[in-house]
Each structure stands twice: as structure tokens, then as C-alpha cells.
Amino acid sequence: GVSSSRDFGNGSTAQSRALYWISEADELQIPPDDPHMAERYTLAVFYFMAADSNLAPDDSGDGERRRRLQDGGNEADVVLHDSDSVQELTGWRQVSNWMSEKGHCSWHGVECHINGAFATHYGTNGITILNMTNNRIEGMLPQEFGALKDLRVLDLGQNKLKGTIPSALGKATELVALHLGGNVFTGTIPSEIGQLSKCTHLYLDENELEGSIPSEVTKLSNMQMIGLHVNALTGEIPDFSAMQELRALYVDSNHLSSTIPSTLGALGSSLLDLRLGSNDITGSLPSELGNLSSLRSLHIEENDLSGSLPLEFAGMDVLNELHAYGNKISGIIPIQIGFLGFFSELKVLYLDGNEITGTIPPSVSNMKNLVDLYLHHNKL
């Protein structure tokens, strides 16, 4: 089923109230055998979870209204007949048509294959987009979202969602874009995300996620953008070489350790933006990064990197920004810099706070696009 039987243990759960609402209180009263009944039920579970989280027990606004909502049973419909009630209970910015008699594809943030004003669903393929970014949503993300089999885009970024990311999302195998950044999710990244073989954009950034990056996720060969930055992830930087379409990799501002894997160089001409800064990375800079011939921006700042700048970095001949400050990079600035494409397109070069020795090569003057050059706090 869509929900586990244990979720109906008492009448106050979001699942119990959603089931009562859709079977008894929903004015639309769609047939039980409607193939998209599960979608409407899933959205109702999401609504009741948000309402529970928004209305704290000591709220003074309408204690009776909250009590009647939580009681379930034949009182579960008393708050669902106007948008003001829905907004009051959830605290959402936009609530148009939610929990109304209108088809759920007309509810705010919900899109289906074919538009229409009053249909239960539009077309034969169900919900394809749920976009409620920056909508002041609190509560948890229900496992029931795995029932949205036709979902292509799930964007719930910049809200206040908490708890763990449900592993059941791995069942939504049509997902192309999953945006859950800017919330308060805890726990680990579910390995089941690796089942989303069509996914091209994955953003789990700016949460409180822990643990390592699952190897299953790094095998998603259609991935173009992956954002895991600003979390508390640990462990090694895994092998992303299977993501041959990857354009941007953001894993900065975590607690990742070990060395920079040389396999990143296998991303060749696809990768445009690589951000590894503010971690606990050690070791030297792999020369294979020079194979990233289309790279525009490289962030490796505030780690514990050592060794010299590899001459192979000359292969990154369209690089615009290199942020390498706050490491233990040593040796001299290569005298080839500024010649034959070696950093000749750079606009920003931050090498401050390292252990670089020698002198500043005169060829730096050949870098006609250079705007910012920071070399202080070295041994020049």
C-alpha cells in the first residue's frame, strides 16, 4: 500500500486523518478505484503533517480548532473549507485550492500533464511537478511521496522541513530533479536515491545531513548538477567518474576528509564548476585535474592541501576562478603561468594563506583578464 499499516495505529496520525478526509470529508469524492486516488491521499498526508508541525501545543490562536483537527474522526473536515483555514493551520505562504473540492492538479505548486480547472487529475499520467519552494512549510516529508510514480520535479527547497529524507523517494523513479536544499533535514543521505536513474539535478544542500556520500548516488550517470554543500557530511570524496554528464559538483562546507580523488579528472570536458572548499581534505593536488578542460571555477580553499601547483593545470585553459587560499600549498608559482593558456583566462586567483616560496613570475602580467590576485601570507 501507499502507507504502512502501523501509520494507522491511532486516529490522530496524519495518515489516519488523510484517509478519513479523502473517504468521508473530501467534497470531490473521487471513486476509490481512481488510479490517481493515491496522489490525492499523499498530498493530504503532507498537508496534515505540515499542520501538526505548524500548530504548537501552546498556540493561543485557536486551541479548539487544533483539538478538532487532531481528533480526526468526523471532525477532520472542519478546517478544510476555505483557504484562510488552510493557511492558518499550515502557515504556508501560498495555499490556493489545497484541500478543496477542486482537482489536486489545480492546487498551488502541483502540475500535471494536461491542465484543467476542475478535473480530479489532468490527463492519464498524474502529478509531474510539485514545486512549493520557499513556502514556509514545516514538518516532515512523508514516505508516501514514493507513491507519486509520475513525478518529474520535486522542489521543496528553502522551507523548514525536518527529520530524515525518506528512503521511499527512491521509488519515484521518474524524478528528473530533486530539490530539498535549505531545510533542516538530519540523518544520512538515503542510498535509495541511487535508484533515481533519470535524475539530472540533485540538491540536498544547506541541511544538517551526516554520514558519507552513498556510492549508489555517484553511479547516477545522467546527473548534471549535484549540490551537497553546507552539511555535516564525513568520509572520503567518492568516485564521481560515472557521472559523465556532470556540469557542477558542490560538496564544499562539509567535513569530508582524505585526498582529492584523481578520478575527478575523468569528467573531462563536461565539468564546469567544482567546489571542494572548507572540508578536511589532505594530500597534494592531483595532476589529473588538468584534464578538466572546460572547468570555469575551482574551489579548494580552506583545506589541508599540500604540495605544489601541478604544471598539468595548464590544461584548464578556460578557468576563470581558482580559490586555493588557506591551505599548505608550497613550492613556487609556475613560471609558465600566463603563457600558452596557463591560467590566461583567470579573473580571480586566490593563493593567500599558503606556504608558497620564490618570486612572483613576471608572466603574471600576461593575464589580461585578471581582476583579483591575492598572494599575501605566503613565503614569497
Side-chain angles (χ1 to χ4, degrees):
V2 177
S3 298
S4 170
S5 58
R6 64 178 178 272
D7 293 325
F8 301 99
N10 64 71
S12 66
T13 66
Q15 289 82 2
S16 294
R17 296 203 304 280
L19 180 61
Y20 173 81
W21 174 77
I22 204 167
S23 61
E24 303 292 338
D26 183 3
E27 294 181 9
L28 190 58
Q29 285 299 295
I30 60 178
D33 59 349
D34 188 292
H36 300 281
M37 169 73 82
E39 296 178 343
R40 196 169 177 89
Y41 165 77
T42 294
L43 294 178
V45 172
F46 183 47
Y47 163 82
F48 281 112
M49 281 189 169
D52 278 350
S53 182
N54 182 62
L55 290 178
D58 58 351
D59 275 356
S60 58
D62 194 342
E64 176 64 14
R65 180 179 289 249
R66 175 179 172 82
R67 183 192 66 78
R68 295 176 72 188
L69 171 66
Q70 287 187 318
D71 281 348
N74 58 14
E75 294 182 310
D77 60 333
V78 297
V79 298
L80 306 176
H81 295 302
D82 60 81
S83 60
D84 289 342
S85 296
V86 172
Q87 193 161 43
E88 176 186 350
L89 284 165
T90 61
W92 294 354
R93 294 180 189 275
Q94 300 290 334
V95 298
S96 59
N97 294 336
W98 269 79
M99 308 304 288
S100 72
E101 77 285 355
K102 295 182 179 180
H104 51 263
C105 292
S106 70
W107 295 3
H108 171 74
V110 181
E111 295 183 30
C112 302
H113 282 292
I114 302 174
N115 289 329
F118 298 102
T120 302
H121 49 82
Y122 307 153
T124 59
N125 293 310
I127 297 172
T128 56
I129 297 175
L130 179 58
N131 182 358
M132 300 187 73
T133 183
N134 194 25
N135 204 40
R136 290 198 307 229
I137 302 173
E138 299 187 28
M140 301 176 68
L141 200 60
Q143 289 277 353
E144 285 77 6
F145 270 37
L148 302 179
K149 301 297 185 183
D150 296 297
L151 194 63
R152 268 66 169 177
V153 176
L154 177 59
D155 190 345
L156 297 173
Q158 309 305 313
N159 283 294
K160 298 180 181 179
L161 292 165
K162 60 185 179 181
T164 58
I165 297 173
S167 60
L169 281 178
K171 298 178 181 178
T173 53
E174 294 297 320
L175 268 176
V176 174
L178 177 59
H179 296 256
L180 299 177
N183 283 287
V184 202
F185 287 115
T186 55
T188 60
I189 299 173
S191 60
E192 288 81 0
I193 298 293
Q195 299 170 15
L196 304 178
S197 60
K198 297 181 180 180
C199 192
T200 61
H201 291 70
L202 174 64
Y203 288 100
L204 306 178
D205 54 288
E206 297 184 26
N207 282 288
E208 298 176 8
L209 298 171
E210 300 175 332
S212 60
I213 300 172
S215 59
E216 293 86 350
V217 173
T218 67
K219 302 299 189 293
L220 295 173
S221 60
N222 289 309
M223 191 66 67
Q224 296 178 17
M225 311 278 287
I226 182 166
L228 305 177
H229 49 290
V230 193
N231 278 289
L233 299 173
T234 55
E236 299 182 353
I237 300 172
D239 181 359
F240 287 96
S241 60
M243 295 183 173
Q244 287 296 304
E245 303 297 321
L246 194 64
R247 298 172 59 198
L249 174 60
Y250 304 143
V251 294
D252 46 305
S253 299
N254 280 288
H255 303 297
L256 299 173
S257 56
S258 188
T259 59
I260 297 176
S262 61
T263 52
L264 284 174
L267 296 176
S269 61
S270 65
L271 197 63
L272 304 177
D273 197 345
L274 176 59
R275 305 198 180 195
L276 308 175
S278 300
N279 278 290
D280 301 315
I281 303 170
T282 59
S284 60
L285 293 168
S287 60
E288 289 82 358
L289 293 184
N291 296 328
L292 301 175
S293 58
S294 296
L295 199 67
R296 264 55 171 189
S297 181
L298 175 60
H299 288 247
I300 52 176
E301 72 278 2
E302 294 181 336
N303 281 291
D304 199 22
L305 294 165
S306 57
S308 59
L309 290 174
L311 293 179
E312 289 82 0
F313 275 23
M316 297 187 287
D317 53 6
V318 295
L319 193 68
N320 293 149
E321 298 186 19
L322 174 57
H323 298 248
Y325 60 88
N327 282 286
K328 295 179 181 178
I329 297 172
S330 58
I332 64 171
I333 299 174
I335 60 174
Q336 296 90 342
I337 194 168
F339 284 122
L340 300 176
F342 197 151
F343 289 175
S344 60
E345 297 296 318
L346 267 185
K347 297 178 181 178
V348 173
L349 178 57
Y350 295 152
L351 294 175
D352 49 301
N354 281 287
E355 299 177 1
I356 297 172
T357 57
T359 60
I360 301 173
S363 56
V364 168
S365 62
N366 295 332
M367 302 167 69
K368 303 300 184 183
N369 296 312
L370 195 63
V371 176
D372 289 336
L373 174 62
Y374 289 0
L375 299 174
H376 55 282
H377 293 119
N378 277 288
K379 299 179 180 179
L380 295 167

